[in-house]
Amino acid sequence: MNRAAILWRVASFAVAASFVGLWQLIANLKLVSPVFLPGPDRAWAALVRGFSSGDLWSKLAGTLEHMAYGWLLASIAGIAIGAIIGSSRTMRTYVAPSLEFLRPLPVSAIIPVAIAMLGLTQAMALFVISFGAIWPIMLATIHGFAAVEPRLYEVARSLQMSRLAVIFKIALPSASPDILAGMRLSLTVALILSVVCEILAGLDGLGHWVLLSARAFRSADLFAGVILLGVTGYVTSVAMSLAEHKLLAWQAAQR
Amino acid sequence: MASAAKRLDTVPGTPAPQIAFDGATLVLGGKTIIENLSLGVQPGEFLCIVGASGCGKTTALRLAAGLYQPTSGRVNFDGQPMRAPRREIAIVFQDYGKALLPWRTAAGNVSLALEAAGMPSAERPARIEELLRTVGLPGHAGKYPSEMSGGMQQRLQIARCLAQEPKTLLMDEPFGALDAMTRQGLQDEVLSLMAASGATVIFVTHDLDEAIYLGDRVIGLLPHPGRIGIELAVNLPRPRDQLSTREHPEFLRLRRQLFDFIKATEQ
């Protein structure tokens, strides 16, 4: 890192620190009632307490589990379906209008449907999370498969490559930048829907913790949960970016 | 089939052509691109096809590759009709940037052809190194195509084609996008590679000098629809040399004849 980059990083941390300071100031001056707004000190204490008693660990694990299963299912199904639709012009023509109808449908609207059919269960959460998270992945995969350089298919034909080899050696790697970008978008969707499902269905997780804390006016615990959700979103997104960077090293060479 | 076999036997003493167009016609989107093309290419022959742009040079090559099927007539390879592309026929595309896999290194791109041929992975590295050395790219195995110059990328594509161990190499204006010096260097390398491997070559170009310099025979196509307009045997001594061959009276005579032909087609 050069000097300028270090300075920028220091500056960005300073901004974050001043926000926390402002928050502490507002809490100390009791501009908002302490019942609703704990200071960062109390939120931090609640975090430490939650982790040392083990409560927050199990809630965090619950949310991560919902998120991971839903996201993985969405990824597998989204890439598979997207590959089938994207590699055939006929399929794209027939299926695209239905997708255009389903895609903008708010996932929250299908939650009651899912609850009616599957009950307040883990299966319902898995269905809702993966249904919401599948769209960015599937649409990105369709686009990626449709955009494979036709010349490469001719190369594959001249090499008499098998259908399977064409998919795994030509189409998938070619579409991988699109697919990974879709998977990164879906990660956020999966987290949001995990929390929503936990709140609505009372499933074990940070969403449930946040809801119960708010109802009991335990504002410090509430904020601890919210902070933890923010950190979860941030860490998973950074991890995904690192994976993308590593998998798409060839693209860096291209620029 | 019987009539085709008879045709091939009509000239005694000549070997059966490796690639034979037999009255091949191609209609695409209601437009006749190639009409009644009959042409035999002998094994080991270096045939160049020239013509004004839009005359169907590239289309003729794609028929030979099996990427297109003739609307009527036949295209045979070793006496068998071409139904689809095959590994014995390698294609060097003009747009090397699109024909290489950007996510694979130079070694990985060559490996693609070896994988397709079912070569065990243990045997591949040695063969890849040998092929990269053959085309003058030793020490570049770990580079991505985007890190290589245009000339290097085209060498890499040629290496991948050689990995197919082709009986026939189809080249579609392979040096059209390269600068003059790089082009001359690659012309000589292709000549020596083909002399060594004995493969048949069909080479499409719009550069008339290049066609005469490389070919045993040059065919000029007439446009709309594409058909043979001129056929010249190039009786210049081999190995060819960039200076003395291009100054040879026979070279100049052929060049004149070909230029006049192209000029006439453009009127």
Side-chain angles (χ1 to χ4, degrees):
Chain A
M1 247 193 292
N2 57 30
R3 258 180 90 87
I6 295 171
L7 275 175
W8 276 112
R9 187 142 295 192
V10 169
S12 67
F13 273 114
V15 169
S18 57
F19 272 122
V20 175
L22 188 68
W23 175 15
Q24 186 71 61
L25 192 69
I26 291 170
N28 288 352
L29 293 173
K30 296 203 167 47
L31 291 175
V32 179
S33 159
V35 178
F36 300 116
L37 183 75
D41 49 345
R42 282 173 57 209
W44 178 254
L47 261 178
V48 172
R49 186 161 13 93
F51 274 122
S52 51
S53 73
D55 279 358
L56 268 181
W57 279 122
S58 71
K59 302 294 175 192
L60 177 63
T63 298
L64 286 178
E65 196 181 311
H66 291 142
M67 187 181 169
Y69 283 141
W71 183 69
L72 282 178
L73 184 63
S75 298
I76 294 165
I79 292 170
I81 299 170
I84 293 168
I85 298 173
S87 50
S88 142
R89 187 185 295 275
T90 335
M91 278 292 273
R92 286 207 296 280
T93 322
Y94 280 112
V95 181
S98 318
L99 291 183
E100 287 310 309
F101 172 75
L102 281 172
R103 185 175 55 95
L105 188 73
V107 187
S108 36
I110 70 138
I111 294 180
V113 181
I115 291 178
M117 291 195 307
L118 298 167
L120 298 174
T121 58
Q122 299 284 359
M124 182 280 294
L126 186 65
F127 173 77
V128 168
I129 295 163
S130 47
F131 183 86
I134 199 172
W135 299 105
I137 299 173
M138 187 162 82
L139 294 172
T141 308
I142 292 174
H143 178 263
F145 267 72
V148 175
E149 172 58 48
R151 187 67 86 216
L152 293 181
Y153 284 137
E154 289 179 354
V155 169
R157 283 177 68 195
S158 118
L159 291 174
Q160 291 181 294
M161 285 167 66
S162 70
R163 225 184 132 71
L164 216 60
V166 172
I167 291 173
F168 283 100
K169 291 179 182 174
I170 307 265
L172 261 182
S174 168
S176 60
D178 287 306
I179 295 173
L180 288 168
M183 286 172 76
R184 183 152 40 84
L185 288 177
S186 288
L187 210 52
T188 318
V189 177
L191 178 60
I192 294 171
L193 288 172
S194 301
V195 173
V196 170
C197 284
E198 284 157 14
I199 289 178
L200 285 179
L203 301 173
D204 213 24
L206 286 173
H208 192 52
W209 164 278
V210 166
L211 181 72
L212 290 185
S213 305
R215 283 187 179 158
F217 296 100
R218 286 186 279 113
S219 61
D221 285 342
L222 169 61
F223 271 68
V226 171
I227 290 168
L228 207 49
L229 281 169
V231 171
T232 306
Y234 180 75
V235 169
T236 48
S237 153
V238 165
M240 186 71 206
S241 293
L242 287 177
E244 253 181 283
H245 194 73
K246 205 170 158 57
L247 287 167
L248 302 179
W250 57 272
Q251 272 203 322
Q254 223 161 9
R255 283 188 212 111
Chain B
M1 236 18 251
S3 69
K6 212 166 135 199
R7 276 181 60 94
L8 306 181
D9 288 339
T10 45
V11 188
T14 41
Q18 188 169 82
I19 295 177
F21 290 78
D22 183 12
T25 295
L26 182 75
V27 181
L28 281 179
K31 210 170 154 226
T32 307
I33 313 287
I34 295 278
E35 190 172 65
N36 198 23
L37 180 67
S38 289
L39 169 68
V41 189
Q42 303 302 323
E45 186 180 0
F46 203 123
L47 174 79
C48 293
I49 301 179
V50 297
S53 38
C55 70
K57 310 184 286 280
T58 294
T59 310
L61 201 73
R62 293 173 69 85
L63 277 169
L67 288 168
Y68 286 150
Q69 290 299 312
T71 314
S72 65
R74 262 187 302 267
V75 178
N76 285 352
F77 182 80
D78 278 346
Q80 299 295 316
M82 282 284 293
R83 300 243 180 270
R86 45 209 290 177
R87 264 201 298 279
E88 302 141 277
I89 305 175
I91 313 165
V92 179
F93 294 100
Q94 178 182 12
D95 43 6
Y96 42 79
K98 291 178 175 174
L100 295 169
L101 309 184
W103 55 88
R104 284 193 182 211
T105 59
N109 268 284
V110 176
S111 174
L112 186 76
L114 302 177
E115 293 161 29
M119 179 184 273
S121 55
E123 296 171 24
R124 280 181 224 144
R127 180 80 181 120
I128 290 167
E129 206 193 312
E130 186 189 336
L131 284 161
L132 287 176
R133 198 167 346 101
T134 309
V135 298
L137 290 176
H140 295 285
K143 281 194 180 157
Y144 289 105
S146 54
E147 297 171 302
M148 306 168 93
S149 70
M152 287 162 77
Q153 290 185 46
Q154 193 56 290
R155 286 163 193 266
L156 177 56
Q157 197 190 176
I158 293 171
R160 184 177 67 198
C161 286
L162 294 178
Q164 291 177 241
E165 295 183 0
K167 283 189 181 170
T168 295
L169 197 64
L170 305 175
M171 306 185 91
D172 185 11
E173 301 196 28
F175 311 140
L178 302 174
D179 64 83
M181 286 307 290
T182 310
R183 190 184 315 169
Q184 293 201 345
L186 278 169
Q187 285 169 353
D188 290 335
E189 280 179 44
V190 163
L191 282 181
S192 62
L193 283 175
M194 291 305 114
S197 78
T200 313
V201 182
I202 303 182
F203 190 104
V204 164
T205 177
H206 59 255
D207 180 342
L208 306 185
D209 291 38
E210 181 174 68
I212 301 166
Y213 181 72
L214 294 174
D216 294 316
R217 189 157 51 125
V218 179
I219 281 177
L221 294 186
L222 287 166
H224 316 296
R227 59 206 187 282
I228 294 177
I230 194 172
E231 187 175 340
L232 300 171
V234 182
N235 292 312
L236 287 166
R238 289 190 187 270
R240 306 263 165 98
D241 176 83
Q242 290 289 354
L243 292 177
S244 63
T245 302
R246 288 175 191 268
E247 287 167 350
H248 200 285
E250 176 70 0
F251 184 94
L252 298 174
R253 190 186 65 78
L254 291 167
R255 185 171 184 270
R256 182 55 184 257
Q257 216 177 335
L258 215 49
F259 266 87
D260 286 344
F261 163 77
I262 294 291
K263 216 168 170 188
T265 66
E266 281 172 345
Q267 273 159 6

